[in-house]
Amino acid sequence: MSSSIPSKMKAWIYYEYGGVEVLKFESEVAVPDVKDDQTIPGYDVAGVVVKVGSQVKSLKEGDEVYGDINEKSMIHERPKRFGSLAEYTAVEERLLALKPKNLDFAQAASLPVAILTAYEGLESAGFSAGKSILVLGGAGGVGSLVIQLAKQVFGASKVAATSSTGKLEFLKSLGADLAIDYTKENFEDLQEKFDVVYDAVGQGDRAVKAAKEGGSVVVIIGEAVPPGFFFRLHSDGEILKKLNPILESGKVKPVLDPKGPYPFDKGNITLVTLDQQPSEPLKMSRVSECFMEDFNYRRLGQFKAIDSSPPIIPGYDVAGVVVKVGSQVKSLKEGDEVYGDIIEMLMIHERPKRFGSLAEYTAVEESLLALKPKNLDFAQAASLPLAILTAYEGLESVGFSAGKSILVLGGAGGVGSLVIQLAKQVFGASKVAATSSTGKLEFLKSLGADLAIDYTKENFEDLQEKFDVVYDAVGQGDRAVKAVKEGGSVVVIIGEAVPPGFLFMIHSDGEILKKLNPILESGKVKPVLDPKGPYPFDKVNEAFAYLETNRATGKVVIFPINP
C-alpha cells in the first residue's frame, strides 16, 4: 500500500444486527487494499463440499451441492472474478442447495442459472394457474424450463413456444400445447394473445404485440418495451431448495445438449466446489479518500437475512479523492475528485459488500465511479449516486419519454425529488404530479411538480385523472396500480409490486453518472440535501436516528469524514 495511505483508518462498523445502538466508531480499522487478479469465468456449479467456513450452518464436508455461485448473473451485471471453471471455487453458503438425489452432477450443474431465471421470472410476472403463456426461445436453456414449470408447476391453461423447424417436436415433449416455427410464421401475428410472454431471445419489441391487454412481458435479454420489463436474476439457494422436490419428482427435468458434456480441457462447468463464508471483496480498482456518505438503505437490522456477514462497514454513496489506483484502471488517476455508489448490488434482495463508505478510506471498482460534477461540492455530490441512478434508470426502464404524464409517490424524498426533476427537465413530461405531507407541497412545486397532492388529506388513487407512469418510492404498490392508465407502467422501488407494477432493481453504473454529469453541471437537476445536515462523522448515530423518523427531505449526508 502506498506510503501516503495509512494502514489503519477511522470507520463506523457493526458486528451484530439491531438498531442504531449496534453501530460502533473505531479508529483502528484496516484500510482495504487495491488488488489486481485474474478472472476465472463460470456461474453454475455442482460438486462436493471439501471445506466450510466457521459460520456455515446448513452444509458440511462431503455434501453434494449445486448452485449459481454468482449472485449477479445477468449480462448487465458484473460477476465475481472467481467463477466455476476451475477445480475448486469458494461459494457463499446461501447460494447453494443440496443436489437433487435423482440427478447426476452434470445434470445438476446444468440447472441453477436457467431454472432460477425461469422460476423467478414467472413469479415476477404473477403467473398462476389458468393463465396462458408464450415462450420465445422454448428450446433454449431457460425457455425449456419455463415451458415445464409453467405447465407442471404453475398450472398454465396453455403453453405456446417458438423454435426452429427441427425442434418443434421437442417443444411438445416438454409440454408445449402450441409449437410455433419462427422460420415460417410471426408469433405476433397470431390472433390469440397471451397473459404472459416470456422473452428469452431478445425480441422485446415484438413480444409486447403478443401479450393480452393488461398482460405481462418478461424480458431476460435485450431491451424491454413497456409493458415489458427487464428481469434481473437474484441467485438464491433457498429457491433451489424449494425446487428440489419438483426436480426429484421428475415433473421438471434438466435438458442437456446432446453434444455434451465436454471434458474440462475443452471448456466445461466445474463439478467440485469449496464452500466457505464470503471473503472480503476480491477486486477493487482504487481507494477514495475524504468522502462523505448519504444514507438511503439501512442495513443494521432490517436486512439481516440478506446482508453479508458482520463485521460490516455500512455505506453506499461516496464522494472524495482518489489516492491509489490499480494497475488495470484506465480512466482515473490519483488526485481525481470522484463520486459514485460503491456497491453494485443495491436492493434488499442482494447482499452488499462488507467495506462500505462510512470510513476514511474505501476501495471501489473503477466501473462504479465518475468524475465529480464541477459545480458541486463533495457533500452535494455524495447525496446523489444511489438516488439519481434509481430515479433515472427507473424512468428509462419503463420507456418514459416526452409528452407522457407521471405520478411520483414520495416526491419529497431522496429518490422522488430527483424523479420529479428528471421527468420534467430531462425526459420532457407533459405533467408531473407528486405526493407529500402538507408542509412539503410548496417544495414539490419548486422541484417542477405541476400537481402537489397532500397524502394526509386525499387519496391519490381516487383522482379522476390517471397517469402514463406511476413511480412508487414509498411502498404503496397495491394503491399505485389504481392510479395508472390502462397500458401504463408502475415502477416500484420498495415493498411489493402488484402487476402491472414491477420491482425495479438498480444496477449501479459509473457510465450513467458520466452521462448525467452535463445535466447536473447545467443546473437543470439539483441535489436536495436535508436542511438538518450535513452531520459530522462522529454524529452518524444521530443521522440514522433522524432517518428513522421518516421526516427527512431529500438526502442526509455525513461530512466531513475526518472528525
Side-chain angles (χ1 to χ4, degrees):
M1 187 170 288
S2 171
S3 59
S4 62
I5 305 172
S7 60
K8 302 291 184 181
M9 66 178 178
K10 300 179 181 71
W12 287 84
I13 194 166
Y14 60 97
Y15 298 90
E16 59 182 324
Y17 295 98
V20 175
E21 71 280 357
V22 303
L23 263 180
K24 307 297 181 186
F25 179 75
E26 296 190 4
S27 59
E28 294 291 316
V29 178
V31 174
D33 197 6
V34 175
K35 300 175 183 177
D36 293 297
D37 47 44
Q38 60 192 138
T39 298
I40 299 173
Y43 294 83
D44 292 317
V45 68
V48 178
V49 176
V50 296
K51 184 179 179 181
V52 297
S54 61
Q55 298 183 50
V56 173
K57 305 298 182 185
S58 63
L59 295 174
K60 63 184 184 302
E61 292 181 14
D63 280 343
E64 296 181 348
V65 295
Y66 76 130
D68 169 20
I69 73 172
N70 276 289
E71 201 161 14
K72 302 177 290 181
S73 296
M74 297 307 290
I75 59 172
H76 295 293
E77 305 285 357
R78 292 175 177 85
K80 63 177 68 168
R81 297 207 164 203
F82 293 98
S84 58
L85 273 176
E87 290 184 281
Y88 296 87
T89 192
V91 191
E92 293 89 341
E93 179 183 23
R94 65 180 182 269
L95 303 183
L96 296 175
L98 292 175
K99 179 179 69 66
K101 298 174 183 177
N102 61 323
L103 303 183
D104 61 30
F105 284 116
Q107 292 170 320
S110 75
L111 283 169
V113 169
I115 201 166
L116 287 170
T117 302
Y119 183 83
E120 290 186 47
L122 287 169
E123 283 218 319
S124 71
F127 194 71
S128 58
K131 291 186 176 181
S132 61
I133 187 170
L134 169 63
V135 185
L136 306 183
V142 174
S144 61
L145 289 163
V146 173
I147 293 173
Q148 295 182 76
L149 288 166
K151 193 73 172 180
Q152 301 296 332
V153 179
F154 286 84
S157 60
K158 185 170 185 176
V159 177
T162 67
S163 75
S164 59
T165 310
K167 297 178 180 177
L168 296 177
E169 290 304 315
F170 172 64
L171 297 186
K172 294 177 184 176
S173 73
L174 295 173
D177 303 293
L178 175 63
I180 303 167
D181 187 341
Y182 67 74
T183 71
K184 296 180 180 178
E185 56 183 321
N186 296 322
F187 61 82
E188 67 267 37
D189 294 337
L190 291 173
Q191 187 172 355
E192 181 179 11
K193 303 302 177 185
F194 300 86
D195 294 303
V196 170
V197 179
Y198 198 116
D199 176 20
V201 291
Q203 296 182 330
D205 54 338
R206 297 172 59 196
V208 295
K209 299 175 184 177
K212 288 181 180 178
E213 192 170 312
S216 300
V217 179
V218 183
V219 178
I220 65 170
I221 187 171
E223 296 296 323
V225 177
F229 66 94
F230 188 80
F231 170 72
R232 292 184 179 179
L233 170 66
H234 165 231
S235 181
D236 190 341
E238 290 302 315
I239 296 178
L240 291 177
K241 294 175 187 176
K242 180 179 179 180
L243 291 171
N244 272 1
I246 297 167
L247 291 164
E248 291 176 346
S249 73
K251 289 182 178 179
V252 175
K253 299 176 182 179
V255 178
L256 277 66
D257 191 278
K259 289 190 176 181
Y262 287 85
F264 188 60
D265 60 357
K266 300 297 183 183
N268 189 19
I269 48 181
T270 182
L271 298 178
V272 182
T273 180
L274 166 67
D275 173 34
Q276 60 184 38
Q277 282 299 102
S279 62
E280 268 61 27
L282 296 174
K283 178 73 172 183
M284 308 299 170
S285 297
R286 81 214 49 76
V287 178
S288 291
E289 178 190 35
C290 187
F291 59 79
M292 52 301 302
E293 159 67 2
D294 157 57
F295 299 94
N296 197 320
Y297 295 92
R298 282 158 282 168
R299 298 172 62 179
L300 300 184
Q302 61 212 88
F303 301 158
K304 179 178 179 179
I306 50 76
D307 205 353
S308 301
S309 300
I312 291 170
I313 298 173
Y316 294 82
D317 291 319
V318 68
V321 178
V322 176
V323 295
K324 185 179 180 182
V325 296
S327 62
Q328 298 182 48
V329 173
K330 305 300 182 184
S331 63
L332 295 173
K333 62 184 186 301
E334 292 182 17
D336 281 343
E337 296 182 348
V338 296
Y339 76 131
D341 171 17
I342 72 171
I343 296 180
E344 198 165 16
M345 301 183 293
L346 299 177
M347 298 305 291
I348 60 173
H349 297 295
E350 306 285 0
R351 287 175 173 79
K353 63 179 67 164
R354 288 179 170 178
F355 293 98
S357 56
L358 269 177
E360 292 181 283
Y361 298 86
T362 194
V364 191
E365 293 88 342
E366 179 183 25
S367 60
L368 304 183
L369 296 176
L371 292 175
K372 179 177 69 67
K374 297 174 184 177
N375 61 324
L376 302 183
D377 60 29
F378 283 116
Q380 292 171 319
S383 75
L384 284 169
L386 175 55
I388 201 166
L389 287 169
T390 303
Y392 183 83
E393 290 185 49
L395 288 169
E396 281 218 320
S397 72
V398 294
F400 194 73
S401 58
K404 291 186 176 181
S405 60
I406 187 171
L407 168 63
V408 184
L409 306 184
V415 174
S417 60
L418 289 163
V419 173
I420 293 172
Q421 295 182 74
L422 287 166
K424 194 73 173 182
Q425 301 298 330
V426 178
F427 286 84
S430 60
K431 184 169 186 178
V432 177
T435 66
S436 76
S437 58
T438 310
K440 296 177 181 177
L441 296 176
E442 290 305 314
F443 172 63
L444 296 186
K445 294 176 183 177
S446 73
L447 294 174
D450 303 292
L451 174 63
I453 303 167
D454 187 341
Y455 67 74
T456 70
K457 296 180 180 178
E458 56 183 320
N459 296 323
F460 62 83
E461 67 267 39
D462 294 336
L463 292 173
Q464 187 173 356
E465 181 179 11
K466 304 302 177 184
F467 301 86
D468 294 302
V469 171
V470 178
Y471 198 116
D472 175 19
V474 291
Q476 297 180 330
D478 54 338
R479 296 172 61 194
V481 295
K482 299 175 184 177
V484 70
K485 289 181 180 177
E486 194 168 312
S489 301
V490 178
V491 183
V492 178
I493 64 170
I494 187 170
E496 295 296 323
V498 177
F502 69 96
L503 183 66
F504 171 71
M505 293 187 180
I506 178 180
H507 166 229
S508 180
D509 191 342
E511 290 302 316
I512 296 178
L513 292 177
K514 293 174 187 177
K515 180 179 178 180
L516 292 171
N517 272 0
I519 297 167
L520 292 164
E521 291 177 345
S522 73
K524 287 183 179 179
V525 175
K526 300 175 182 178
V528 178
L529 277 67
D530 188 275
K532 290 200 172 184
Y535 284 80
F537 190 52
D538 61 353
K539 301 295 183 183
V540 164
N541 283 322
E542 293 182 18
F544 268 102
Y546 175 55
L547 278 172
E548 289 179 343
T549 68
N550 293 317
R551 295 176 180 173
T553 300
K555 307 299 289 181
V556 176
V557 172
I558 304 300
F559 176 80
I561 279 296
N562 302 91

